[in-house]
């Protein structure tokens, strides 16, 4: 890790003028937040603004069926959420966070330009259908789809570099261990960072979607490209203000070395070594003198069997694939420990990824605010209620609930992160159960009005019935999404901060792949004759049954989370709080004895 320039040589610093020292210390801090958060915000406005209505673009302009179009979107979102792990790896090990974000911004911009060209150039997509032609409409060719998919790929690469690094890069600017309120500052930063990103998504769901609905794809795709260009420019413009940390050697290589070393030394008995810290290999400046007792079989990777054979004259390991440092051992342990808890968030992400079906529902319903109104909420904008709920919870939790609870208790109060995650998963189950109930009512109403064969007709039922399920999804994501990000960041060593930030996105990637599998499995297994639960005509299908399948899986996932949370044991914050409470009790006992 690279220290800020003013920390390189304390003796030189004392000789510098005080004004020079103040200038060097000015790097980082709140001054950099508008540029970092702004970069991510513009990226989200652009990318989410494209995603929300994309199911309609694929079905109408590229003539893909609803199942195939949704599968394409699942794969695109999966790639967008998987690549942050690759971006985190490149950032932590090779490029550094600043360069990774800069290059990713360029890739995202190029992808959006290519997507804009698919709307501008008629020859790169199927020709329009002519009702008088008397023949079937032509479908997209392989080359046309290849160009479309290349646009998706470039956009995903851009998101893969920006999303994992922005959060960690922002934390780098604020992380000050000398500040006694550092933990509270970071917790507040995580919440407000997530809320700021959500405001960007809210703009995408309203302004960008409205433009696409009323001004067409050419302008609707062009504006996100301009915003992406602006995002990259603002971020690079503020380069002199940032604290930039040096990269370390390949993080994944170090984790692989620990796994190999633990396997090679698998027959080694730990009973002969656990009593002495001198038997463990660690660097001189390491704070980890001995590995923890959790996952003790991995400790075999850092046990020194024979100093003459294992260490060189400089004290370093001769073969890092047979002997690793205690720090590397603890990094792998931290990753292995969180995997079960991480996996519980996948089901919630599967539920959130059903937005394309919810768009088709909203499109078939009365989207007017009142019976006499002429304004209709765009079908793709209903996701804004999820974002509004998320932002409202962050503000209420951070500015009302916690301060009030702290005032009542007379001490700082925080709701344990594991409780928040579990509550969010349960709310996600409720959201899917409600979604199934509302869809059952919508479909029943459509059939009673004689619209079974007319998917384009408007059912005489208000689309406002969809709002409660969107709100529940927002609360679930606020609790579990923010909770998981905070959980990973605090449980991992600082060297793994970018990976910690990208794990939630990785869960969404896996979720979208599994969502595609579930979708196609339900479609094929539920097919009776020529009709299945998943049909292009939403009134003919049974999307309510599909939602009930997801609701049942969500309830099972809540039980799975309880088991994982219990088996994980106390978090870092819980251990720290227990120590603080123990010290406080000892001090109170001493006071009682003195009195």
């Amino acid at each position: 890790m690279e220290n800020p320039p003013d920390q390189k040589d304390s003796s030189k610093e004392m000789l510098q003028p005080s004004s020079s020292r103040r200038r060097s210390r000015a790097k980082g801090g709140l001054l950099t937040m508008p540029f970092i958060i702004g970069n991510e915000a513009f990226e989200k406005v652009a990318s989410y603004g494209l995603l929300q209505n994309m199911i309609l673009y694929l079905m109408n302009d590229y003539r893909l069926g609803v199942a195939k179009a949704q599968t394409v979107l699942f794969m695109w979102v999966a790639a967008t959420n998987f690549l942050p792990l690759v971006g985190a790896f490149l950032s932590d090990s090779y490029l550094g966070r600043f360069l990774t974000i800069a290059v990713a911004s360029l890739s995202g911009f190029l992808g959006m330009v290519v997507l804009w060209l698919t709307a501008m150039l008629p020859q790169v997509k199927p020709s329009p259908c002519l009702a008088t032609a008397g023949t079937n409409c032509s479908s997209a060719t392989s080359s046309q789809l290849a160009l479309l998919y290349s646009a998706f790929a470039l956009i995903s690469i851009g998101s893969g570099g920006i999303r994992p690094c922005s959060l960690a890069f922002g934390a780098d600017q604020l992380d000050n261990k000398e500040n006694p309120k550092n933990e509270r500052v970071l917790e507040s930063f995580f919440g407000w960072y997530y809320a700021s990103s959500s405001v960007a998504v809210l703009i995408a769901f309203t302004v960008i979607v409205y433009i696409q609905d009323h001004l067409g794809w050419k302008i609707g795709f062009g504006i996100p490209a301009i915003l992406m260009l602006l995002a990259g420019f603002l971020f690079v413009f503020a380069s002199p203000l940032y604290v930039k940390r040096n990269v370390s050697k390949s993080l994944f290589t170090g984790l692989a070395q620990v796994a190999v070393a633990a396997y090679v030394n698998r027959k080694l008995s730990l009973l002969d070594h656990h009593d002495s810290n001198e038997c463990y290999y660690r660097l001189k400046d390491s704070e980890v003198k001995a590995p923890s007792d959790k996952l003790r079989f991995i400790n075999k990777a850092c046990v020194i069997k024979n100093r003459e054979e294992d260490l060189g004259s400089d004290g370093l390991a001769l073969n890092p694939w047979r002997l690793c440092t205690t720090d590397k051992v603890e990094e792998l342990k931290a990753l292995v420990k969180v995997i079960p808890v991480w996996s519980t968030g996948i089901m919630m992400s599967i539920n959130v990824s059903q937005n394309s079906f919810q768009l088709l529902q909203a499109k078939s319903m009365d989207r007017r605010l009142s019976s006499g109104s002429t304004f209709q909420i765009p079908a793709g904008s209903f996701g804004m209620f999820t974002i509004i709920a998320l932002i409202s919870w962050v503000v209420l939790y951070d500015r009302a609930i916690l301060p009030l609870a702290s005032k009542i208790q007379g001490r700082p109060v925080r709701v344990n992160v594991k409780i928040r995650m579990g509550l969010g998963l349960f709310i996600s189950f409720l959201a899917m159960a409600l979604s199934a109930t509302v869809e059952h009512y919508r479909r029943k109403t459509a059939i009673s009005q004689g619209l079974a064969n007319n998917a384009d007709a408007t059912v005489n039922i208000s689309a406002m019935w969809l709002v409660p399920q969107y709100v529940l999804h927002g609360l679930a994501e606020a609790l579990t999404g923010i909770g998981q990000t905070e959980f990973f960041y605090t449980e991992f060593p600082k060297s793994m901060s970018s990976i910690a930030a990208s794990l939630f996105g990785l869960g969404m990637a896996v979720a979208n792949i599994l969502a595609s599998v579930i979708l196609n499995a339900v479609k094929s297994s539920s097919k009776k004759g020529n009709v299945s639960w998943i049909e292009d005509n939403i009134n003919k299908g049974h999307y309510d049954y599909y939602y009930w399948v997801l609701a049942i899986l969500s309830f099972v996932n809540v039980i799975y989370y309880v088991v994982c949370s219990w088996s994980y044991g106390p978090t870092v914050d819980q251990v720290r709080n227990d120590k603080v409470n123990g010290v406080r009790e000892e001090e109170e006992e001493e006071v009682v004895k003195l009195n």
Side-chain angles (χ1 to χ4, degrees), residues 191-497:
W192 284 106
Y193 184 92
Y194 210 101
S196 300
S197 299
S198 299
V199 170
V201 177
L202 180 62
I203 295 174
F205 284 2
T206 52
V207 178
I208 303 299
V209 168
Y210 185 85
I211 290 173
Q212 290 170 355
D213 281 359
H214 291 80
L215 299 179
W217 301 115
K218 294 179 181 180
I219 298 178
F221 288 168
I223 290 178
I226 295 173
L227 290 176
M228 197 64 235
L229 177 63
L230 184 60
F233 174 77
L234 287 177
F235 180 78
V236 175
F237 176 77
S239 175
L241 302 177
Y242 301 136
V243 172
K244 301 172 186 174
R245 302 188 185 278
N246 278 344
V247 297
S248 57
K249 118 177 158 173
S250 173
L251 179 62
F252 284 176
T253 300
L255 296 177
Q257 288 172 341
V258 175
V260 171
Y263 177 78
V264 170
N265 299 327
R266 64 189 181 281
K267 296 182 180 179
L268 182 68
S269 174
L270 290 174
L271 295 177
D272 300 330
H273 302 89
H274 77 285
D275 291 331
S276 175
N277 294 341
E278 298 300 322
C279 294
Y280 297 113
Y281 174 54
R282 64 185 181 92
L283 299 179
K284 292 182 180 180
D285 57 348
S286 172
E287 297 179 359
V288 184
K289 296 181 179 180
S292 61
D293 290 332
K294 292 281 187 178
L295 302 172
R296 294 186 70 241
F297 65 93
I298 302 180
N299 292 354
K300 297 178 181 181
C302 63
V303 172
I304 303 174
K305 300 184 291 295
N306 188 312
R307 287 188 171 274
E308 295 181 357
E309 296 179 0
D310 293 341
L311 303 178
S313 58
D314 56 358
L316 300 178
L318 294 175
N319 187 349
W321 293 93
R322 290 181 175 271
L323 180 63
C324 304
T325 64
T326 53
D327 295 270
K328 291 298 180 185
V329 166
E330 290 305 306
E331 286 176 358
L332 181 60
K333 282 186 179 183
L335 183 60
V336 172
K337 279 179 62 181
V338 303
I339 287 176
V341 176
W342 163 80
S343 66
T344 61
I346 292 175
M347 193 63 231
M348 184 203 72
S349 298
I350 290 177
N351 296 340
V352 172
S353 68
Q354 307 302 318
N355 57 297
S356 292
F357 296 139
Q358 293 166 341
L359 181 146
L360 296 178
Q361 288 177 276
K363 193 170 180 290
S364 71
M365 302 169 76
D366 183 1
R367 290 174 277 117
R368 295 177 299 172
L369 294 176
S370 62
S371 58
S373 174
T374 57
F375 173 77
Q376 289 191 356
I377 300 176
S381 294
F382 274 80
M384 69 179 178
F385 294 108
T386 294
I387 308 305
I388 292 172
L390 190 154
I391 297 172
S392 300
W393 169 257
V394 169
V395 174
L396 186 65
Y397 176 76
D398 194 66
R399 296 301 177 187
I401 296 177
L402 287 185
L404 180 61
S406 300
K407 185 176 182 180
I408 294 174
Q409 294 290 328
R411 58 181 176 81
V413 173
R414 294 179 63 235
V415 180
N416 183 266
V417 66
K418 291 201 293 185
I419 295 177
R420 280 182 274 150
M421 290 189 292
L423 183 58
L425 294 178
F426 181 74
I427 292 177
S428 181
F429 152 71
L430 294 179
M432 290 316 301
L434 182 59
S435 298
T437 303
V438 171
E439 171 55 18
H440 176 78
Y441 177 60
R442 188 210 64 81
R443 182 180 182 274
K444 182 179 178 181
T445 303
I447 294 174
S448 67
Q449 294 174 4
L451 303 176
N453 296 317
N454 190 355
D456 296 326
T458 300
V459 182
N460 188 21
I461 177 176
S462 175
M464 294 299 111
W465 281 99
L466 298 173
V467 173
Q469 66 195 50
Y470 279 107
V471 171
L472 289 178
H473 281 305
L475 292 176
E477 192 169 354
L479 291 165
T480 301
I482 296 177
Q484 279 204 344
T485 301
E486 180 184 336
F487 176 75
F488 298 144
Y489 192 87
T490 54
E491 294 297 304
F492 281 178
K494 294 295 182 185
S495 59
M496 300 173 66
S497 56

Side-chain angles (χ1 to χ4, degrees), residues 81-142:
N81 287 291
F82 171 76
L83 286 176
L85 188 63
V86 179
F89 165 62
L90 293 175
S91 167
D92 283 349
S93 304
Y94 296 105
L95 301 179
R97 289 168 190 150
F98 172 78
L99 185 58
T100 301
I101 295 173
V103 172
S105 298
L106 176 61
S107 176
F109 168 68
L110 293 177
M112 291 178 188
V113 169
V114 174
L115 184 62
W116 173 69
L117 289 176
T118 66
M120 292 295 295
L121 304 177
Q123 58 268 34
V124 299
K125 62 183 177 182
S127 57
C129 289
L130 298 177
T132 59
T135 58
N136 292 331
C137 297
S138 60
S139 57
T141 64
S142 298

Side-chain angles (χ1 to χ4, degrees), residues 42-58:
F42 281 129
E43 185 272 333
K44 285 190 180 297
V45 170
S47 58
Y48 279 90
L50 296 175
L51 177 63
Q52 200 65 13
N53 267 341
M54 190 57 66
I55 185 74
L56 301 178
Y57 187 62
L58 296 180

Side-chain angles (χ1 to χ4, degrees), residues 514-533:
L514 292 179
S516 177
V517 173
I518 294 172
L519 172 65
N520 287 283
V522 169
K523 181 175 175 61
S524 59
S525 62
S526 65
K527 194 165 187 177
K528 293 182 179 179
N530 295 324
V531 180
S532 70
W533 292 356

Side-chain angles (χ1 to χ4, degrees), residues 568-581:
Y568 185 88
T571 62
V572 170
D573 288 344
Q574 286 177 313
V575 172
R576 185 186 300 113
N577 290 337
D578 289 343
K579 290 181 179 180
V580 171
N581 292 334

